Amino acid sequence: MEGMNLRTLGDLSVEGVTFRREKVLLLLAFLCVEGPQPRRRLADLFWPDAANPMNSLAQHLVHLRGLGGALTEDGPRVGASLTGSGTQPTQDGGGLRCDACDLREAVRRGRPQEAADLYRGPFLDSLTIPLGADLEEWVFDTRETVARDARTALTTLAAQAAAHGNTALSGDLAARALTLPGAPPADELELPRLHHLLTLAGHPLAAQVEREARTLGLHLDAMPAALPAPFAGREPELAALDALLPGQVAWISGHAGMGKTALLDALARTGGWTVLPGRADLPYGTLAPLSAAPPTSAHAALGALRDPQARVAVDGWEQTDPATQATLTTLATGHRSAHPGAALLITGRTHPPFDVDLHLNLGPLTPGDLNDPDLHARTDGHPTLVGAALRGQPLDLQFGARVRAYPDAVRDTFLTLAVQDQPNLRATRAAMNLGAQDFARILSFLTTEGLTTETGRAYAAAATRDALAQIHVHAALIHLQLARALPDEDAWPFYDRSRDLWEDADERRAAQAARLRAHAHLKRGYPGQAAELLDTLPGLPELAVPHAWALIGVGRYQDALNRLNTLSAHDQQVSDALAARAVTLIRLGRTDEAVTLAEQIGGSGPDAAHAASVRAHAARMREGWDAARRHAQIAADLWNLHGDDEAHLTELGMVARAQVGLGSEPQVAFAEVLRRSQDLPSVHGMILVNYAAALGDRGSTVQAEAELHRAVEHLTLAGDRQGLATVHGNLGVRCHLAGQLREAIEHYRRALALLSGSGHIRLLGVTLSNLSEIDGDLSGFEDALTLLEQAGQVELVQRIRHNAQMVSAP
């Protein structure tokens, strides 16, 4: 059965159970809080005046056994089957939870919010039965103990709110802690802290605390409300430091800007912490504020740290005078447990030079720390930048002045790292013309200054790039130096941003980098990006063929042909140019010219594979299915030879389509290629489109539509927007022909949305013409056909006019 929850805070009951015997539940609560007990002790404590206490205990245990899973019995000992924080559940998932036990465990484990939420009233406050003196004393003692733990949790939450500058919330929580029902009056250790938090918030209860403090003979220094500084995250660190005991030593390390000082400022706002900035001008000068007169000896300096109620933080070990460092080292390495003094906290950029009780190494804040994805994205969680963002300051100002003050080599190394998403350290060093030792020294300096990670990635690089862009010439020089040092496949973005500074030697290498970047776009299925890139370099003949392939990919066939025509007569006869021209012509419907060119291509390379594919497409258009199958198989074998799985399987899809044309059943012809292409979602999706077409030709329209919807799933997984546009266009045509015009319009509009920015004129024109036909917009229809005619799609335009029965004179 599921576990039960015993409520003892505010009332006494078992959640979900109508059992209301108070003495039985009190016995259960005692076992939960105190653990397993001897039967004799329980009998004497709960029934001191009974004639037979053991018999009374036995009767009550019978009732507890009725609460299945609540009790454990081991001979003379009885206990509660307690589960929850810090305990293991029973094998059957049962057991018992107790809110008072969970609260105390939450405080022990540093979960103050959980503890505060659990406190719904004083422990066993609803009891109405008479109790013996010893049992009544136990109830009152436990009530105060649990309430003190709840007060500790509320005070911790108040301190955290104060640390984050939320003084109003801090004051409310401190007031709850002070007036907590069931808690004893705050003592001499609690009052100063509560007074500080209430005063910081301007809460009226601060005056009451002052009166109570005077009654106890305590002197409280009223602290004016400080302006809240922007501070985010660090809740675990604040909780850990808040839990430091007298005599314990903690160390906070981290590079510059990681928030060490901000964390100490936050602790100072919580009350109880004295923060001492490191200073090196006088011996023991850092510790001077702790005593009436500046200490002049190690003994006097140590004496200032002997107060066990003090909490002292020294900010900046590296800036602290040697005498103070020696004193702090003596205190940290001495026998602190024998004579505990102040809780001590030290910050430094390096790890501690001696053993400490707690070491916190600060790094960037995580998205969870900030609870604001946009803030983290803009700042990379860098605490200095987070603070700037919270203050509404431009991020680049935080680093800009520092970076400009650095020597040129350091400044430009940082800027070169900042312009890279994933820094290439080797290329950065080469771009800066630095030796390995000098580069390592600069990189280490930038890391300790909190400007970069240890891998060289600049924090919030976007802000630095924006600032660098305002210095156009210097930015272009940074990008050009980096482009020259990077491998060809990574260099194009940096060549692109430095065009104004290209020298003659740069043009050829920039063209190679652009070709490789465009090829990568094509392999990823983004021909639009490849075309857009190469559109900016129209005058470089070495880019004509890759540019043509990109234009073919987006359906700009006439533009592809025009780009190939810029080649010299000799270069037009090279096999890769012939292959690109043949593919362009077959897409334009100029079948005979395409086949003539394809027949001029020999060998067994990729160009020969393209040529075989052209002949397959030409045969398919003429419904010469045997020739289509044969040429598609040759193309598939050639692509397989070159290890291009996507092209290989695409051609096998054509083989399957040709086999259907020769009489095979679609399910049989496509079965193998569909199975083999399952791990390539884009290819699989387009083969499903061809499969659906074959099914439709055989009259299996319902299954054909189902396969098109399957194609949508795979193409969506692949992120293939052009493939998805093709599928929605096909679905639109099916609905259009079936008279389902509303559904057809929806599919056409989805196709148009997917084609936005793709540059695929053929698909765009066909979709626009179909949509205009439904709308009865003859002007829009003609505009779409004109768009296609200008792209060289003359035969396609004629077919559309014929299908629409709107043939007009040329």
Side-chain angles (χ1 to χ4, degrees), residues 249 332-333 336 352-357:
V249 179
T333 57
R336 300 193 303 273
F354 42 72
D355 291 337
V356 295
D357 299 290

Side-chain angles (χ1 to χ4, degrees), residues 620-680:
R620 176 182 177 178
M621 291 177 184
R622 300 179 181 126
E623 296 192 358
W625 296 112
D626 186 56
R629 180 200 58 75
R630 185 173 68 256
H631 290 302
Q633 186 64 59
I634 292 172
D637 292 341
L638 289 173
W639 286 125
N640 188 40
L641 179 66
H642 291 282
D644 192 326
D645 291 340
E646 295 188 20
H648 170 61
L649 290 169
T650 298
E651 291 299 335
L652 288 181
M654 171 69 81
V655 171
R657 183 68 184 88
Q659 288 172 335
V660 174
L662 291 170
S664 294
E665 289 297 322
Q667 294 87 340
V668 175
F670 279 88
E672 181 64 13
V673 70
L674 285 172
R675 183 190 67 78
R676 293 177 60 184
S677 63
Q678 284 181 342
D679 293 334
L680 297 170

